[in-house]
Amino acid sequence: MASKTPTMTEVLRTRQIIDAAKICFKNHGFHGTSMAILADFADLSVGQIYRYFKSKEALIEAIVKEIVYHRIEVLEARGFNVEEVAQMLAERDMGKFDSEFAIDQILMLEVTAEASRNLNISRIFKDADRESCNRLNISLRKKYPHFTPQEIAARVELFTVLASGSDTRFLVEKKFSTEELRKIYLNIFNSVFTEKHSEHPQ
Amino acid sequence: MASKTPTMTEVLRTRQIIDAAKICFKNHGFHGTSMAILADFADLSVGQIYRYFKSKEALIEAIVKEIVYHRIEVLEARGFNVEEVAQMLAERDMGKFDSEFAIDQILMLEVTAEASRNLNISRIFKDADRESCNRLNISLRKKYPHFTPQEIAARVELFTVLASGSDTRFLVEKKFSTEELRKIYLNIFNSVFTEKHSEHPQ
């Protein structure tokens, strides 16, 4: 991508390439998508794509950052409302406010699997996760100032596990009542985010 | 696979093929693993492999079932001990008692991603999930007879989300104290699995 302030054409072209790449990656996977297939789908030349993204991995990095940061921004904008989060998790739909969510879920699964065998993708995945956890950490610290940094960090992880876990399950049938699961999540959040716990005796 | 009782040779051969396939799929992905690559790695002929598995998908199905059922069996054998489960989740290691666990995690991520674009893999994934949830449902009903079927089903989903979510995170660095997260999980399990909740007032 150009290092100076991008022109409107460059911004639109970048958008066009990213949108096309997301659909190609979703349909064919990373391995099944060559720059030629992508160029064809985006109605551009391979040269035009390389002008904006120097490799398929640079494109994957841009997509992963966009997905991960967008999710955090949605949570931040809505003030990490536990009622809403419980509802979204129970519906397996952390993208309630985002029409692109289903494709984003699939792409993040693809990235996670690919990270296990490709060091560059692994670095992209880890960087995005670190940034996302940092931002969630800052939000939660502001919202729950009575917790220690260690308590906040564990809660960031809990939330991330719940969100990622729900993502992996959007394909399988629901074998539970959404309302029943929502109540459980809400109780968990009300308990984990408002009280200081000591361990229950067995 | 032979439909009559398999001979010892057949059992060992099946094992040999599955073990080789798991390593090939982990290293090259499903798409990057042809039957020829697999045969070469397993030191067998392509014909020998087809005698046992009529397609790559039949092989994936055998692997997925083995992974999913094995996990449930470990939990069943240990009586769904909440202390142990909290510890394993906090360590992101639901395979504490299983040396094959890291490779299984990667393969399940691969299957989940692939299920979004391949109807046969999607069916395999859904079938294994249904069977796994059924078995967990039966275990939890036995252990917690005071819950209604609906309450049990929601708890099965909660547990599955936590386990799958932890799986997706085994590659990223730990940014939290395992002990702090273990305490949170233990409190969640003690609360979700022993009490009947009403919703907290806001």
Side-chain angles (χ1 to χ4, degrees), chain A residues 101-124:
Chain A
F101 186 63
I103 187 169
D104 289 356
Q105 279 178 304
I106 294 169
L107 291 174
M108 286 309 294
L109 289 173
E110 184 89 16
V111 168
T112 312
E114 187 62 20
S116 69
R117 73 177 75 89
N118 177 324
L119 274 182
N120 287 328
I121 306 284
S122 171
R123 196 227 355 117
I124 292 169

Side-chain angles (χ1 to χ4, degrees), chain A residues 46-138:
Chain A
V46 170
Q48 281 175 304
I49 292 183
Y50 275 115
R51 213 194 124 207
Y52 290 84
F53 296 96
K54 68 182 195 306
S55 66
K56 205 155 78 173
E57 281 164 9
L59 201 39
I60 292 172
E61 179 155 22
I63 291 173
V64 168
K65 281 187 177 168
E66 194 172 281
I67 293 175
V68 170
Y69 300 169
H70 178 65
R71 288 192 183 187
I72 291 293
E73 276 156 21
V74 168
L75 284 173
E76 285 171 347
R78 310 188 66 88
F80 198 80
N81 177 324
V82 292
E83 296 259 359
E84 266 182 12
V85 172
Q87 179 77 38
M88 290 192 290
L89 284 172
E91 290 176 0
R92 292 177 180 163
D93 186 4
M94 288 301 296
K96 247 181 133 48
F97 308 103
D98 179 3
S99 60
E100 289 280 291
F101 186 63
I103 187 169
D104 289 356
Q105 279 178 304
I106 294 169
L107 291 174
M108 286 309 294
L109 289 173
E110 184 89 16
V111 168
T112 312
E114 187 62 20
S116 69
R117 73 177 75 89
N118 177 324
L119 274 182
N120 287 328
I121 306 284
S122 171
R123 196 227 355 117
I124 292 169
F125 182 56
K126 286 179 183 173
D127 286 352
D129 179 69
R130 190 179 311 112
E131 172 70 13
S132 149
C133 285
N134 275 346
R135 287 176 60 170
L136 196 53
N137 200 304
I138 291 167

Side-chain angles (χ1 to χ4, degrees), chain B residues 54-102:
Chain B
K54 67 180 195 308
S55 65
K56 206 155 77 174
E57 281 165 10
L59 200 40
I60 292 171
E61 178 154 24
I63 292 173
V64 168
K65 281 188 177 167
E66 194 172 279
I67 293 175
V68 170
Y69 299 169
H70 178 65
R71 289 192 183 187
I72 290 293
E73 275 156 22
V74 169
L75 284 173
E76 285 172 347
R78 310 189 66 89
F80 199 80
N81 176 324
V82 291
E83 297 258 0
E84 266 181 13
V85 172
Q87 179 77 39
M88 290 192 289
L89 283 173
E91 290 176 0
R92 292 178 181 161
D93 186 4
M94 287 301 296
K96 245 183 134 48
F97 308 102
D98 178 3
S99 60
E100 289 280 293
F101 187 63

Side-chain angles (χ1 to χ4, degrees), chain A residues 180-198:
Chain A
E180 191 64 40
L181 188 59
R182 187 192 67 80
K183 283 195 290 181
I184 292 178
Y185 282 137
L186 189 57
N187 272 301
I188 289 175
F189 290 141
N190 278 331
S191 149
V192 164
F193 283 110
T194 56
E195 297 161 25
K196 290 225 177 192
H197 281 292
S198 59

Side-chain angles (χ1 to χ4, degrees), chain A residues 8-33:
Chain A
M8 182 54 81
T9 309
E10 286 168 338
V11 169
L12 291 175
R13 190 52 51 90
T14 304
R15 188 72 261 146
Q16 178 188 3
I17 296 171
I18 288 181
D19 288 344
K22 284 173 77 169
I23 295 171
C24 288
F25 289 150
K26 172 184 162 287
N27 290 343
H28 314 296
F30 296 146
H31 290 283
T33 303

